[in-house]
């Protein structure tokens, strides 16, 4: 029996075949094939077909071999093709490429998703991150505008606000950055959005660095 | 008794923005437990990687998953297990009932489990198969002085337990940043053979570089302890294969001693069993209390 994520994924794939930088293709013989969306049509890709866990290594490093601490950064490596037998395996593999994003998408589709403003996230930090709450609004505009930008930063669609008053996360980001229907890769295709319901730990760290002048 | 049809397991790890191997053991244990089909779903969440602890709140559909067992894959009960994880997961205590009716059960961290002692012994035996324990000292190495993580206390506890077995000539806890210092291993031990097991959840800069330098078995690498210079991502990206080499050159001959150096204890596949045990223990303790 399919779980909620697999059911939602199955429905979503009737209307689109992309999530982030990953192209999803249904195979005639059954199952699915994933690749970097830039590599669609290439027939000399390295094929992986042992397990969805192959996605852990495929998503760990960029083309230059650098570690990818942020999986939704637009630097997924190229030249691979991952073959999966079932919808369950597909769901598991996508969760390794973009951890948690399918679950958040399901929560959003079923109106169960709660968003948390940046200021609230910063205010509850402790230890070395407590100082991040001192960040100014001007610094937030710059930090969020730079760190979260789809072009070179992060492919997520921001759903959170800056504060409880509903101020926009950053005045430096285009309106499309907050639109779940917009393809953040710039390919202008229909895709499953990588939704961001709350600022991530990496952004909190960037706020901390801004406060400390690093 | 865990009912697999409506129960999920969430394994929580620290993760890292610079160490690509930090989350590897947690993900591997999750894959193994998923393979055993003991839970309807198995997820992972990390403090410094994705899924984040905040994402984890949405990982399990309350319509089908009624109970979520949260097991911290941490070596000790400190700042993260006591403060960060409950706060980020919005847990009220050991048992939290969500507005959806979903129940979250906050289990003890893996490092608290008695099986850890057995895994330390197994690791020591594996790394020094030809060494007579009666002629061997075992060093369990933790960080020490770290942020309220109590890992130093946990390492001492494990050393005490193994020492009481009387198997090894000597069993010592040693630390990177506080006394007894691992860099003093030649003064701390008197036996021909010395086995060193890092008491960490995953391999990383400490086990690949820092401890080997402190032991004097490698000259390269960074001694970053309390250094204002933090490693850049690129520095941390030194080939994992090359870094893993340090575990494959045993024994190291230092003066007239043979030193055997193991990888971090948390990489042992047996930790998957401990994670399951911690979830089961939650229910058995609750039934005893109730």
């Amino acid at each position: 029996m399919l779980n909620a994520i697999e059911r939602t994924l199955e429905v979503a794939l009737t209307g689109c075949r992309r999530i982030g930088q990953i192209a999803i293709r249904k195979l005639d013989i059954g199952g699915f094939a994933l690749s970097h969306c830039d590599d669609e049509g290439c027939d000399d890709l390295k094929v992986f077909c042992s397990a969805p866990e192959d996605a852990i290594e495929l998503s760990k490093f960029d083309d230059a071999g650098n570690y990818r601490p942020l999986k939704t950064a637009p630097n997924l490596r190229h030249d691979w093709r991952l073959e999966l037998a079932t919808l369950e395996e597909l769901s598991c593999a996508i969760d390794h490429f973009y951890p948690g994003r399918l679950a958040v998408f399901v929560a959003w589709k079923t109106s169960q998703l709660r968003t948390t403003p940046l200021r609230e996230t910063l205010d509850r930090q402790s230890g070395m991150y407590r100082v991040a709450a001192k960040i100014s609004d001007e610094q937030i505009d710059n930090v969020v505008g730079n760190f979260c930008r789809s072009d070179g930063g992060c492919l997520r669609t921001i759903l959170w606000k800056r504060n409880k008053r509903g101020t926009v996360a950053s005045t430096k980001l285009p309106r499309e950055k907050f639109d779940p229907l917009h393809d953040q890769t710039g390919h202008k295709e229909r895709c499953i959005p990588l939704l961001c319901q709350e600022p991530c730990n990496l952004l909190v760290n960037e706020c901390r660095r801004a406060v400390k002048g690093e | 008794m865990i009912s697999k049809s409506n129960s999920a397991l969430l394994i929580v790890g620290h993760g890292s923005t610079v160490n690509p191997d930090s989350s590897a053991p947690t993900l591997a244990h999750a894959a193994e437990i998923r393979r055993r089909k003991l839970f309807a779903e198995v997820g992972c969440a990390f403090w410094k990687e994705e899924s984040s602890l905040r994402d984890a709140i949405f990982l399990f559909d309350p319509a089908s998953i009624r109970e979520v067992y949260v097991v911290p894959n941490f070596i000790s009960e400190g700042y993260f297990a006591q403060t960060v994880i409950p706060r980020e997961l919005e847990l009220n205590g050991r048992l939290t009932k969500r507005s959806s009716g979903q129940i979250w059960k906050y289990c003890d961290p893996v490092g608290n489990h008695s099986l850890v002692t057995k895994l330390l012994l197994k690791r020591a035996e594996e790394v020094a198969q030809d060494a007579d324990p009666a002629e061997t000292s075992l060093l369990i190495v933790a960080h020490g002085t770290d942020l309220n993580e109590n890992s130093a206390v946990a390492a001492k506890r494990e050393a005490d337990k193994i020492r009481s077995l009387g198997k090894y000539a000597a069993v010592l806890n040693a630390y990177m940043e506080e006394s007894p210092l691992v860099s003093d291993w030649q003064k701390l031990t008197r036996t021909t053979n010395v086995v060193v097991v890092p008491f960490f959840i995953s391999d990383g800069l400490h086990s690949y570089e820092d401890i080997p330098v402190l032991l004097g078995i490698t000259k390269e690498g960074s001694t970053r302890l309390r250094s204002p210079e933090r490693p850049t991502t690129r520095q941390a990206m030194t080939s994992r294969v090359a870094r893993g080499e340090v575990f494959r050159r045993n024994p190291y001959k230092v003066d007239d001693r043979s030193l055997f150096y193991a990888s971090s204890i948390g990489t042992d596949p047996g930790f998957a069993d401990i994670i399951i045990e911690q979830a089961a223990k939650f229910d058995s303790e609750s039934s005893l209390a109730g």
Side-chain angles (χ1 to χ4, degrees), chain A residues 4 57 60-61 65-67 69-71 99-101 103 112 114 124-127 129 156 197-198 201, chain B residues 16-17 20 34 41 47-51 54-55 57-59 61-62 79 87-88 90 234 237 240:
Chain A
E57 286 302 312
K60 195 176 277 185
F61 304 102
N66 296 306
Y67 175 50
L70 180 63
K71 296 292 180 281
R101 286 7 286 164
Q112 295 179 69
R114 284 182 287 120
R124 70 162 193 272
Q125 299 302 311
S126 57
Y129 295 110
R156 296 190 193 189
Q197 82 284 7
E198 178 166 353
N201 187 277
Chain B
S16 170
T17 57
R34 208 174 282 128
E41 294 181 30
W47 174 229
K48 292 208 167 187
E49 290 183 41
E50 302 151 275
S51 304
R54 301 296 286 172
D55 291 336
I57 292 170
F58 304 102
L59 284 186
D61 177 23
Y79 174 61
R87 181 189 73 208
E88 297 295 296
E90 300 176 359
R234 184 168 287 279
M237 247 308 297
R240 284 181 307 135

Side-chain angles (χ1 to χ4, degrees), chain B residues 67-231:
Chain B
E67 295 182 322
V68 178
Y69 293 82
V70 181
V71 179
N73 194 25
F74 281 74
I75 213 77
S76 58
E77 192 152 11
Y79 174 61
F80 288 100
Q82 291 174 344
T83 303
V84 175
I85 296 171
R87 181 189 73 208
E88 297 295 296
L89 290 179
E90 300 176 359
L91 303 178
N92 306 321
R94 278 176 62 80
L95 200 75
T96 301
K97 189 169 185 178
R98 306 284 193 207
S99 57
S100 64
Q102 195 176 61
I103 291 169
W104 286 52
K105 299 178 175 182
Y106 191 39
C107 310
D108 287 337
V110 293
N112 278 7
H113 200 280
S114 57
L115 272 175
V116 172
T117 313
K118 286 185 180 174
L119 294 183
L120 283 165
L121 280 165
K122 180 165 86 82
R123 172 88 19 132
E125 288 165 9
E126 284 171 353
V127 76
Q129 292 176 5
D130 298 328
D132 179 2
E135 297 288 329
T136 303
S137 299
L138 172 59
L139 260 65
I140 298 169
V141 180
H143 191 283
T145 68
D146 44 353
L147 271 176
N148 184 28
E149 267 308 285
N150 296 333
S151 63
V153 175
K156 183 176 185 309
R157 180 190 67 222
E158 293 302 325
D160 289 345
K161 285 165 73 175
I162 296 174
R163 190 182 307 115
S164 72
L165 300 174
K167 178 174 180 172
Y168 284 90
V171 184
L172 302 165
N173 45 295
Y175 306 108
M176 296 168 64
E177 290 200 351
E178 66 184 64
S179 186
L181 289 164
V182 64
S183 54
D184 288 337
W185 70 274
Q186 290 186 85
K187 294 180 205 161
L188 296 169
T189 61
R190 294 178 179 170
T191 52
T192 307
N193 305 312
V194 176
V195 175
V196 177
V197 182
F199 198 53
F200 296 103
I201 281 294
S202 61
D203 282 320
L205 292 168
H206 290 334
S207 62
Y208 288 141
E209 297 180 11
D210 296 333
I211 295 173
V213 169
L214 292 169
L215 290 168
I217 58 175
T218 58
K219 291 190 170 66
E220 294 178 7
S222 59
T223 45
R224 304 167 303 102
L225 310 182
R226 291 285 182 263
S227 164
E229 295 288 330
R230 300 301 297 172

Side-chain angles (χ1 to χ4, degrees), chain A residues 10 13-14 16-17 24-33 87:
Chain A
E10 187 173 46
L13 289 177
T14 59
C16 70
R17 50 188 202 90
I24 305 167
R25 193 157 67 85
K26 286 183 182 172
L27 300 174
D28 294 338
I29 55 170
F32 304 87
L87 192 66

